[in-house]
């Protein structure tokens, strides 16, 4: 399960690194007469730099994160993927994805207009809970799975 989780973390890292470049590239080629790059610089940093740094950090720490996610499970010699392990890995990846996306949104809204988006802040808190509580999510899944039977 650990190699599978490390692979998923690296796929998420590639997505984080490339997606902002693709979404911001049209802005770089369109420039109006009254717009300057200094106006867009804080927004570009929030939209591009934060996900790219998160992608690089995830790429280089994928093994350690996979070992931390599956610390309680023993190493399996065959490719036997348990459903509880998938829930732990999935909740971690969803939490990291939400954290990076909404952190960029929150910073860009604050830098652009001084608006503090409480909805985005609540998603950031939930995403931190998903990242930190991966083992709790696995235990919760196990309880829900065996609750009726």
């Amino acid at each position: 399960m650990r190699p599978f989780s490390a692979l998923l973390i690296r796929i998420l890292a590639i997505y984080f690194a490339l997606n902002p470049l693709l979404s911001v590239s049209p802005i770089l080629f369109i420039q109006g007469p009254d717009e300057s790059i200094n106006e867009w610089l804080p927004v570009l940093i929030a939209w591009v730099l934060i996900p790219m740094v998160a992608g690089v950090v995830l790429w280089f720490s994928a093994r350690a994160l996979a070992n931390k996610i599956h610390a309680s499970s023993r190493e399996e010699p065959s490719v036997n993927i348990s459903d509880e392990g998938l829930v732990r890995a999935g909740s971690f990846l969803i939490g990291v994805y939400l954290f990076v996306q909404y952190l960029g949104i929150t910073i860009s809204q604050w830098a652009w207009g001084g608006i503090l988006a409480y909805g985005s802040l609540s998603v950031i808190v939930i995403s931190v809970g998903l990242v930190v509580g991966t083992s709790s999510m696995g235990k919760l899944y196990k309880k829900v799975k065996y609750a009726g039977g």
Side-chain angles (χ1 to χ4, degrees):
M1 194 65 204
R2 289 179 186 151
F4 180 70
S5 294
L7 176 68
L8 288 178
I9 291 170
R10 286 192 172 148
I11 289 172
L12 183 66
I14 291 170
Y15 175 77
F16 277 158
L18 294 180
N19 191 32
L21 291 177
L22 297 175
S23 64
V24 174
S25 62
I27 294 174
L28 297 176
F29 295 112
I30 299 172
Q31 192 146 38
D34 57 288
E35 295 176 354
S36 68
I37 195 69
N38 292 335
E39 291 180 22
W40 286 93
L41 193 59
V43 176
L44 288 176
I45 288 173
W47 282 348
V48 176
L49 194 62
I50 291 173
M52 288 185 73
V53 168
V56 169
V57 168
L58 280 175
W59 180 269
F60 287 114
S61 62
R63 282 272 178 224
L65 288 172
N67 289 335
K68 187 171 177 112
I69 291 170
H70 302 290
S72 62
S73 64
R74 60 178 177 81
E75 189 63 35
E76 300 163 353
S78 65
V79 182
N80 185 11
I81 300 173
S82 67
D83 51 348
E84 185 180 348
L86 282 176
V87 168
R88 285 194 312 243
S91 65
F92 175 80
L93 291 174
I94 290 169
V96 169
Y97 174 77
L98 289 174
F99 180 77
V100 171
Q101 291 297 326
Y102 279 90
L103 184 66
I105 290 170
T106 304
I107 290 174
S108 67
Q109 285 178 348
W110 180 73
W112 189 254
I115 300 169
L116 189 59
Y118 294 109
S120 296
L121 288 176
S122 63
V123 172
I124 289 172
V125 169
I126 291 170
S127 66
V128 168
L130 284 173
V131 169
V132 173
T134 55
S135 61
S136 299
M137 290 299 290
K139 291 175 186 175
L140 179 67
Y141 171 75
K142 193 182 255 186
K143 285 181 183 178
V144 170
K145 181 179 176 183
Y146 297 116

